[in-house]
Amino acid sequence: MSVQRVDLNLFRVFETVLHCRSVSGASRELGVTASAVSHALARLRQAVGDELFVPGENGMEPTPRAREIAPAILDGLERIEEAIKTKPFEPSNSARTFRISATDYGTTVILTRLIERLAKTAPQLELRIFPYNRMDVIRHLDEGRLDLVIGWFADLPEHLRRTGVLVDREAIVVRRGHPLIGQPIDRDRLFSYPFVVVELTGSGEQAAEGFIDERGVWRRVWIDRLLIETSDEDAVAHVAVSLPHYAAVPGILSATDMVATLPERMARRIADAGTHEILELPYDPLEVAAEAIWHQRGDRDGGLQWLLGELVDVMRSA
């Protein structure tokens, strides 16, 4: 069937079912009956020649064909909406909501500075921050449910864009009064103490050097373990605690003789409170570049490009 004979409203139904994963949810969001949604899906299935959605554990799951055509459909709908909107983005009076996925590191070290600036330059904007440790953040980026993902990445597919935000490196943190303080440190001595590490997915199923592959995006889910995982066989560390976030690390260190390797900027914040200290590293630290990634459709989004510019600019002085 020619696309000229397809009602464009069917693609809006497709988008909503893709988002809600249910006919009833789509009907509520669209303000129509469930029967109307089912009828629209039937027409679109006939036009495309595919089931598009099938029942699954998490509701109506898109078929491989639906996943294949979804980016083009979502992009087309966004282009239409974009063409209708004639007003340029004006940060000083825009009430737009930006949806960002970030770790607690990304929120504390990176986004806090951005939020401070936006409170002055764009006071009506809203930032909604979602956890980076979810295994579906890239799917949400593809489907337009997220605007940005902030983290550490390696390979990206062509439809995603990236920009550097900052470079950080490892630091060793212990509680004040720890036996390692004031003593020469080598790997054997360091590894004689148990470690607390942060694995952002909490899955324990990481690939080489802490990267996982999610929809063609290699994203780093730990830097804390690299010292441990890449050490020689004679120096073996014991990981006593693994966490999906950084927030609990200071409390655990304060209550034990455990050691943590953290991004240096996070380590400084902990040490500045006066209850912890940063030790001199017995090796060359790993450096990691934090980046923001977005879907290519965002290249035409004046508001998102403005936000990215603000983010990069504010971190230059960090």
Side-chain angles (χ1 to χ4, degrees), residues 155-174:
D155 296 336
L156 296 179
E158 291 185 358
H159 71 279
L160 295 183
R161 305 289 190 258
R162 70 200 307 166
T163 188
V165 178
L166 63 80
V167 176
D168 211 338
R169 62 180 186 173
E170 288 179 288
I172 299 176
V173 183
V174 296

Side-chain angles (χ1 to χ4, degrees), residues 16-261:
T16 309
V17 174
L18 187 67
H19 171 72
C20 295
R21 291 296 197 265
S22 74
V23 170
S24 59
S27 70
R28 288 192 297 270
E29 187 163 323
L30 292 169
V32 299
T33 65
S35 176
V37 173
S38 296
H39 180 66
L41 276 181
R43 292 171 59 195
L44 191 57
R45 283 165 170 157
Q46 182 180 13
V48 177
D50 185 85
E51 281 295 299
L52 297 179
F53 297 96
V54 295
E57 293 183 359
N58 299 314
M60 298 292 287
E61 296 288 344
T63 64
R65 177 60 174 159
R67 292 184 185 277
E68 179 184 1
I69 65 176
I73 290 176
L74 297 178
D75 185 57
L77 290 172
E78 187 164 327
R79 283 175 180 248
I80 293 172
E81 186 173 355
E82 185 180 296
I84 294 173
K85 294 178 179 178
T86 56
K87 292 183 179 180
F89 178 77
E90 297 179 3
S92 61
N93 57 25
S94 174
R96 177 171 172 177
T97 298
F98 289 101
R99 296 154 298 178
I100 303 172
S101 173
T103 65
D104 50 347
Y105 167 87
T107 304
T108 302
V109 174
I110 299 173
L111 292 182
T112 298
R113 289 179 173 271
L114 177 65
I115 292 168
E116 181 182 4
R117 173 176 289 195
L118 296 185
K120 301 173 183 177
T121 62
Q124 297 184 66
L125 285 185
E126 178 184 350
L127 298 186
R128 296 191 63 192
I129 314 301
F130 297 87
Y132 179 86
N133 60 350
R134 291 179 60 98
M135 291 298 290
D136 53 3
V137 294
I138 304 304
R139 175 168 63 85
H140 288 177
L141 195 64
D142 285 342
E143 294 175 1
R145 298 167 68 178
L146 285 173
D147 298 301
L148 291 175
V149 176
I150 295 176
W152 302 291
F153 307 95
D155 296 336
L156 296 179
E158 291 185 358
H159 71 279
L160 295 183
R161 305 289 190 258
R162 70 200 307 166
T163 188
V165 178
L166 63 80
V167 176
D168 211 338
R169 62 180 186 173
E170 288 179 288
I172 299 176
V173 183
V174 296
R175 65 172 174 82
R176 178 161 287 184
H178 192 282
L180 285 174
I181 295 175
Q183 300 292 327
I185 301 174
D186 57 22
R187 285 178 184 262
D188 288 334
R189 182 167 173 76
L190 182 62
F191 285 2
S192 67
Y193 292 90
F195 275 71
V196 52
V197 301
V198 177
E199 297 176 349
L200 298 177
T201 63
S203 68
E205 298 179 354
Q206 293 81 15
E209 296 190 349
F211 287 94
I212 59 169
D213 180 13
E214 183 189 352
R215 298 169 68 90
V217 175
W218 287 89
R219 64 180 175 119
R220 186 185 286 278
V221 292
W222 49 260
I223 67 171
D224 310 45
R225 276 186 179 268
L226 196 65
L227 166 65
I228 300 168
E229 301 289 338
T230 59
S231 297
D232 57 60
E233 296 181 0
D234 294 331
V236 179
H238 169 53
V239 177
V241 180
S242 296
L243 299 167
H245 47 72
Y246 291 99
V249 172
I252 293 173
L253 294 180
S254 292
T256 68
D257 281 343
M258 291 185 189
V259 176
T261 55

